[in-house]
Amino acid sequence: MMTIKTANLGFPRLGKKREWKKAIESYWSNKIDKTELDQTLQDLHKEILTIQQNHHVDQIPVGDFSLYDHVLDTSLLFNIIPERFQGREVDDDLLFDIARGNKEHVASALIKWFNTNYHYIVPEWDNVTPQLNRNVLLDKFNFSKELGVNTHPVILGPITYVALSKGGNQTFDEKVRTLLPLYKEVFQTLTEAGAEYIQVDEPILVTDKANELQEITEEAYAFFNKEAASTNIVLQTYFERVDLNFVGKLPVYGFGLDFVHDNGYNLKQIQDGLFPKEKALFAGIVDGRNVWSANIEEKKSLIETLQSYTDELVIQPSSSLLHVPVTLEEETLDDSIRDGLSFATEKLDELYALKQLFNEQDDTLYNQLKEQFERFEGQSFKQLEYDYEAVKSERATPFKERKVLQDQLLNLPDLPTTTIGSFPQSREVRKYRADWKNNRITDAQYQEFLENEIKRWIEIQEDIGLDVLVHGEFERNDMVEFFGEKLNGFLVTKFGWVQSYGSRAVKPPIIYGDVKWTAPLTVDETLYAQSLTDKPVKGMLTGPVTILNWSFERVDIPRREVQDQIALAINEEVLALEDASIKIIQVDEPALREGLPLRSEYHEDYLDKAVHSFKLSTSSVQDSTQIHTHMCYSQFGQIIHAIKSLDADVISIETSRSHGDLIQDFEDITYDLGIGLGVYDIHSPRIPTEEEITVAINRALKEIDRSLFWVNPDCGLKTRKEDEVKEALNVLVRSVEKLRQDNTVKQPN
């Protein structure tokens, strides 16, 4: 009988209570030194390895634990260091500067990791000299050996790494060939150190790009095979299907396949005989990206099927568990909901239950999980009776006509300035919110504090000279979690944190029931802010696509149904703001691009539904009400036509970290709606110069009509310090004031 083993692809770095985040941010703020940082993170890494060992994982990953981002780790490993940061010692401080920028240099670009809410630091190849630097992967593997933990090293593969890179004069194939000897050296050192196998992640092979990458992929893995470096490589893919017609022929020890997010194709290919039976199959059968319990009975059936097609079967999550919270153990939840949930450690228990069932015929844990799932599955949604026909999904009047009314009403200057919405979540803001939630202060005391902060920041914005103001969102912990706390059908956890980028952690709400708006969510704060100024104050909302993509949604209900429920709820809030005489309402959709399926065959359907939901949430307003939206840190070229179809009066999009590359996307489309391009990077502590902002604006104005152009930072300002915000916004406003006096920029044809 075949013995089934378990493996894991990656574990959350944050720690149960965000110990990772707190240590790194303490180092950045000089509250701890490098020695204390190293010790704290080493202790946390040990805890993470031990947790997986205690949950009976046979093969535990090492190399997934990072100081910031695993893609950036790979860049430093191979000396792919941005030209502006070269000439320094390759150490952790260099890593942080590349990721965050410093006073002298801008940070590297930050882009979504495939279709997740995780962000990676884009490697830059301009004038680099690839070579093997400090081999931290080997250090981490040896650390795990000292602890007596059976681990396998994890590294981003050469094809995916180069595909996620930019810059340099070399061709794609030349870049890969440059890296191959370096990968070989890393593989050899790990093998000599005792690694049973090495997990080489190549998720780029599940995308449409795989077809054009076939020849260089075959060449790369043939090189590893010839150099005796591939005998223990497991080529790992996730997030979609892979083409086994060519990938299945690569000379490696085994293949990792996603059987959760592949739309059934990976299993069909295996049943069609495309998987080489002599290879090890690392089957991703438990959802690594969502928090719902596995249907353990279905997983049992899947394992029984897969056993017939391989001589060696290893079961594992569908992807790294980086995308889910650590554990349910300290959550205080009703059993009716807890029965249906599974965080990272609970997913490892699901794998262990299946392993015990097959290897030991021990069904104790299996039956327990099966009963829990059946109890939860027995609870059904109450179907709400929405009157979709009563809600408009198209604006009543074309944009050009709306713009005339809005310009007359708002009377804004040339190149109007604004911010994206949030202002610093200072320690004082967080303390007051925590005290209020824990009943240490009264509702009245908390409300008084919020009003004082709103008043203070309205005055700051007026002093700086911004044209359209915001109330600052001091009552909000997160742009999605806040709405999850207010709308029916959402559950908000206490410790359900996941990493978004760097030390930024978010706590996605869990959609477990029908979504419904029952009372105004943001009107009081927005109306109070508007009462303090004659300048327009934007109402600030999060859009339905982003709320869905940044929540853990039920997987047993069509996404469109849930998304449209959210859209109708947001529409109620939009109308409540309009009824309160708020003239500009921003409905942010930063996650619209990240939810785009990895295969182009699904793009049109996804975008049609996304555009419909956004318009369902915004189209019932009067022509004179100006609708804004915002998107950030994505590659927009594929969706530029969908962005236009949103029919938002003004859209603001990040361009600072992409150093203006986004402007090229507008060369292929006539974009005749209002647009603001983020002119400085708010995720970096450095203050932009007037020259940098002026150059960014002038470049944009060569492609975009000046009468449509807005000027703003690239994202919300909640993560920045107050002094940084004030200084940067003053630079922004001074730059715009000078450009207003010098209206000589050549206009687009």
Side-chain angles (χ1 to χ4, degrees):
M1 177 182 291
M2 176 186 296
T3 299
I4 292 175
K5 293 183 179 180
T6 59
N8 190 21
L9 281 68
F11 200 80
R13 303 162 187 152
L14 279 173
K16 294 179 181 179
K17 296 183 179 178
R18 296 178 295 163
E19 296 89 341
W20 181 87
K21 166 191 174 70
K22 294 170 185 175
I24 290 174
E25 291 182 351
S26 293
Y27 176 68
W28 291 342
S29 59
N30 297 314
K31 294 176 182 175
I32 63 173
D33 61 18
K34 188 63 167 59
T35 300
E36 188 174 350
L37 173 67
D38 290 344
Q39 186 61 55
T40 302
L41 294 184
Q42 185 181 86
D43 291 344
L44 179 58
H45 191 198
K46 177 181 177 181
E47 177 183 320
I48 287 171
L49 293 171
T50 304
I51 286 172
Q52 295 174 83
Q53 186 179 51
N54 291 342
H55 284 264
H56 313 287
V57 179
D58 295 319
Q59 290 286 356
I60 296 167
V62 67
D64 57 323
F65 188 79
S66 172
L67 275 172
Y68 199 96
D69 162 51
H70 58 278
V71 182
L72 181 54
D73 289 346
T74 311
S75 295
L76 264 64
L77 176 65
F78 296 130
N79 205 49
I80 311 299
I81 296 171
E83 186 175 9
R84 60 194 176 280
F85 290 103
Q86 291 174 13
R88 292 175 46 181
E89 181 182 354
V90 179
D91 58 11
D92 295 338
D93 288 329
L94 174 62
L95 179 147
F96 289 141
D97 281 352
I98 294 171
R100 304 175 69 234
N102 57 25
K103 291 181 180 180
E104 292 78 29
H105 304 300
V106 296
S108 289
L110 193 67
I111 296 292
K112 301 287 186 180
W113 172 252
F114 293 87
N115 60 344
T116 75
N117 185 32
Y118 179 77
H119 307 60
Y120 71 92
I121 299 296
V122 178
E124 299 177 32
W125 280 75
D126 294 318
N127 297 315
V128 299
T129 304
Q131 63 186 39
L132 190 60
N133 279 323
R134 53 174 191 164
N135 193 343
V136 293
L137 184 55
L138 179 62
D139 295 340
K140 291 174 182 176
F141 180 73
N142 286 331
F143 174 67
S144 68
K145 282 176 59 180
E146 293 171 5
L147 297 175
V149 180
N150 185 28
T151 61
H152 65 272
V154 178
I155 187 171
L156 188 62
I159 310 303
T160 299
Y161 177 78
V162 174
L164 299 181
S165 304
K166 73 173 188 176
N169 295 321
Q170 311 98 312
T171 66
F172 186 101
D173 291 4
E174 288 170 345
K175 291 175 183 175
V176 172
R177 292 181 186 122
T178 299
L179 292 176
L180 293 182
L182 306 182
Y183 271 94
K184 170 194 167 185
E185 188 175 349
V186 172
F187 294 161
Q188 288 177 334
T189 61
L190 292 168
T191 302
E192 290 167 2
E196 181 180 337
Y197 72 89
I198 301 166
Q199 176 187 320
V200 181
D201 288 0
E202 293 283 15
I204 198 68
L205 298 181
V206 307
T207 70
D208 291 333
K209 288 185 178 180
N211 291 334
E212 61 191 72
L213 300 177
Q214 180 171 344
E215 288 187 12
I216 188 60
T217 302
E218 292 172 341
E219 179 182 330
Y221 285 88
F223 171 85
F224 294 145
N225 185 50
K226 179 181 178 182
E227 299 295 322
S230 71
T231 54
N232 60 348
I233 286 178
V234 172
L235 192 150
Q236 181 66 55
T237 64
Y238 35 80
F239 300 151
E240 246 290 356
R241 71 180 188 263
V242 70
D243 182 2
L244 287 177
N245 277 301
F246 99 82
V247 173
K249 297 173 184 176
L250 296 175
V252 294
Y253 167 62
F255 300 95
L257 305 179
D258 186 338
F259 290 92
V260 177
H261 300 284
D262 64 326
N263 294 297
Y265 281 97
N266 281 337
L267 179 60
K268 185 177 185 303
Q269 290 184 94
I270 288 176
Q271 290 175 323
D272 288 343
L274 296 180
F275 188 86
K277 197 170 190 294
E278 72 279 5
K279 300 289 186 181
L281 173 58
F282 288 72
I285 65 172
V286 170
D287 193 345
R289 294 182 54 174
N290 211 326
V291 296
W292 298 107
S293 301
N295 183 335
I296 202 83
E297 199 167 15
E298 283 187 0
K299 305 307 176 185
K300 172 178 175 288
S301 177
L302 176 58
I303 291 171
E304 290 171 340
T305 300
L306 294 175
Q307 282 181 311
S308 303
Y309 296 95
T310 179
D311 294 331
E312 182 178 351
L313 179 63
V314 181
I315 56 174
Q316 59 188 22
S318 62
S319 65
S320 170
L321 297 177
L322 174 72
H323 309 290
V324 296
V326 176
T327 180
L328 278 167
E329 65 182 29
E330 294 196 47
E331 299 291 344
T332 53
L333 302 171
D334 187 280
D335 286 345
S336 63
I337 296 177
R338 180 183 285 272
D339 281 343
L341 295 177
S342 177
F343 291 178
T345 54
E346 289 76 28
K347 292 180 186 299
L348 301 181
D349 289 337
E350 291 171 345
L351 295 171
Y352 178 62
L354 290 162
K355 182 178 75 169
Q356 287 297 95
L357 177 69
F358 280 90
N359 292 350
E360 308 296 336
Q361 288 74 54
D362 180 356
D363 61 3
T364 306
L365 182 56
Y366 173 85
N367 286 334
Q368 176 187 327
L369 296 177
K370 181 172 177 288
E371 290 169 6
Q372 287 179 3
F373 181 83
E374 289 173 346
R375 283 198 303 268
F376 181 74
E377 193 180 37
Q379 303 175 75
S380 61
F381 272 58
K382 175 186 176 185
Q383 296 300 314
L384 296 175
E385 296 181 0
Y386 284 113
D387 186 359
Y388 286 87
E389 299 300 322
V391 180
K392 295 179 181 177
S393 58
E394 298 285 347
R395 295 293 291 270
T397 306
F399 168 74
K400 287 186 178 180
E401 297 177 29
R402 301 196 307 262
K403 187 175 187 303
V404 173
L405 295 174
Q406 293 165 14
D407 287 349
Q408 292 172 350
L409 179 67
L410 297 172
N411 192 30
L412 296 172
D414 176 40
L415 302 177
T417 59
T418 188
T419 64
I420 300 305
S422 60
F423 281 125
Q425 293 274 317
S426 65
R427 179 178 297 180
E428 186 182 23
V429 169
R430 296 194 300 271
K431 182 180 184 303
Y432 264 89
R433 187 163 56 237
D435 287 347
W436 174 66
K437 287 189 174 183
N438 290 286
N439 298 314
R440 292 190 289 266
I441 60 174
T442 65
D443 291 351
Q445 288 173 312
Y446 184 54
Q447 188 61 34
E448 181 183 7
F449 170 75
L450 291 178
E451 290 182 356
N452 288 339
E453 281 297 287
I454 292 170
K455 184 175 187 294
R456 190 168 70 86
W457 276 94
I458 288 292
E459 292 172 352
I460 290 171
Q461 292 173 84
E462 288 192 315
D463 288 344
I464 290 171
L466 292 168
D467 301 309
V468 174
L469 314 186
V470 296
H471 80 277
E473 303 179 19
F474 304 108
E475 78 284 5
R476 307 183 193 184
N477 43 17
D478 175 80
M479 65 181 296
V480 172
E481 185 181 359
F482 172 80
F483 291 93
E485 292 173 333
K486 301 276 188 178
L487 295 170
N488 284 5
F490 285 83
L491 165 73
V492 175
T493 59
K494 189 174 182 180
F495 299 110
W497 300 97
V498 295
Q499 184 185 5
S500 177
Y501 65 87
S503 66
R504 167 74 170 146
V506 295
K507 190 145 55 73
I510 298 168
I511 304 174
Y512 72 92
D514 285 297
V515 178
K516 187 176 182 181
W517 180 95
T518 57
L521 315 175
T522 67
V523 173
D524 289 347
E525 291 80 9
T526 310
L527 195 55
Y528 175 69
Q530 185 63 81
S531 74
L532 301 171
T533 179
D534 292 331
K535 291 185 175 183
V537 174
K538 290 190 288 188
M540 298 300 307
L541 306 174
T542 305
V545 182
T546 295
I547 290 178
L548 181 64
N549 280 337
W550 288 359
S551 300
F552 292 119
E553 82 278 11
R554 283 281 290 263
V555 294
D556 56 345
I557 296 172
R559 282 177 59 88
R560 176 170 188 170
E561 185 174 321
V562 181
Q563 189 168 274
D564 280 354
Q565 281 189 2
I566 299 171
L568 292 172
I570 297 302
N571 176 67
E572 297 273 13
E573 185 67 12
V574 167
L575 294 177
L577 286 166
E578 186 180 59
D579 288 344
S581 299
I582 301 302
K583 300 303 181 185
I584 302 179
I585 302 170
Q586 183 168 310
V587 181
D588 287 344
E589 287 290 15
L592 190 146
R593 167 61 180 83
E594 83 176 34
L596 191 71
L598 298 178
R599 294 281 183 174
S600 59
E601 65 202 80
Y602 306 122
H603 287 185
E604 183 177 359
D605 180 65
Y606 168 83
L607 291 172
D608 285 349
K609 291 172 180 175
V611 169
H612 172 78
S613 292
F614 178 84
K615 295 170 88 169
L616 200 62
S617 68
T618 59
S619 295
S620 295
V621 296
Q622 300 171 23
D623 291 342
S624 57
T625 298
Q626 192 172 79
I627 295 294
H628 288 225
T629 190
H630 169 67
M631 298 179 189
C632 59
Y633 298 133
S634 288
Q635 297 160 315
F636 292 105
Q638 292 173 290
I639 65 166
I640 195 71
H641 291 279
I643 290 174
K644 184 175 181 180
S645 296
L646 295 175
D647 198 25
D649 297 302
V650 180
I651 182 171
S652 55
I653 301 182
E654 178 274 332
T655 56
S656 63
R657 281 216 175 188
S658 58
H659 308 304
D661 293 346
L662 178 65
I663 303 301
Q664 298 173 5
D665 294 330
F666 290 88
E667 295 175 356
D668 299 325
I669 185 173
T670 302
Y671 196 89
D672 51 4
L673 298 158
I675 185 164
L677 298 184
V679 293
Y680 77 88
D681 175 20
I682 68 89
H683 295 88
S684 171
R686 73 181 295 272
I687 305 301
T689 66
E690 286 187 37
E691 181 183 8
E692 289 170 354
I693 290 179
T694 301
V695 168
I697 295 172
N698 280 335
R699 180 181 178 187
L701 289 176
K702 291 178 181 179
E703 299 295 336
I704 298 170
D705 190 291
R706 188 176 183 123
S707 68
L708 300 173
F709 194 75
W710 289 60
V711 181
N712 47 262
D714 65 1
C715 208
L717 297 164
K718 66 182 293 184
T719 62
R720 296 269 52 87
K721 295 178 181 178
E722 183 169 321
D723 288 345
E724 294 170 351
V725 168
K726 292 177 182 177
E727 189 175 350
L729 289 178
N730 271 305
V731 173
L732 182 151
V733 170
R734 287 199 302 269
S735 302
V736 169
E737 287 173 345
K738 291 179 181 178
L739 283 168
R740 286 172 180 164
Q741 297 169 12
D742 180 20
N743 190 358
T744 59
V745 176
K746 182 181 178 181
Q747 294 296 293
N749 296 325

